[in-house]
Amino acid sequence: MIATIWRFRVQPGKLDAFERAYGPQGDWARLFARAEGFIATELLKLRGEPATYLTIDRWQSEAAFVSAKAALADDYAALDRCCEAYTSEESWLGLHDIVH
């Protein structure tokens, strides 16, 4: 299994909308759930920094993740444009192997 991790700084007044879109049952998780190999999304809020979050998307394999990115490219881009208003900063922290 692998995980992709993103860090976000959320705009003032946009926390609720951000959490709805990026949470485990949110817009992004529902999009990814359409792809084979998606497992789950986690949303973490950094302690001491209420506007800083991490998302962790778990996939069965890197191949499943790559395939999903290609298959969902148009819908991904559209959702990304909609969600841009929620954040002031977005950083991809990479693809990580899950160690059992």
Side-chain angles (χ1 to χ4, degrees), residues 12-74:
K14 303 291 185 176
L15 294 176
D16 290 340
F18 176 85
E19 289 180 6
R20 280 192 304 274
Y22 288 85
Q25 309 303 319
D27 299 331
W28 286 102
R30 285 193 305 275
L31 174 66
F32 296 152
R34 294 176 19 208
E36 188 173 329
F38 174 70
I39 297 170
T41 292
E42 294 180 59
L43 180 62
L44 307 175
K45 186 187 297 189
L46 186 62
R47 286 186 178 182
E49 293 187 43
T52 302
Y53 291 79
L54 295 177
T55 60
I56 301 172
D57 300 310
R58 298 181 190 282
W59 297 86
Q60 289 177 352
S61 66
E62 184 174 355
F65 169 67
V66 170
S67 177
K69 279 181 61 175
L72 302 171
D74 291 341

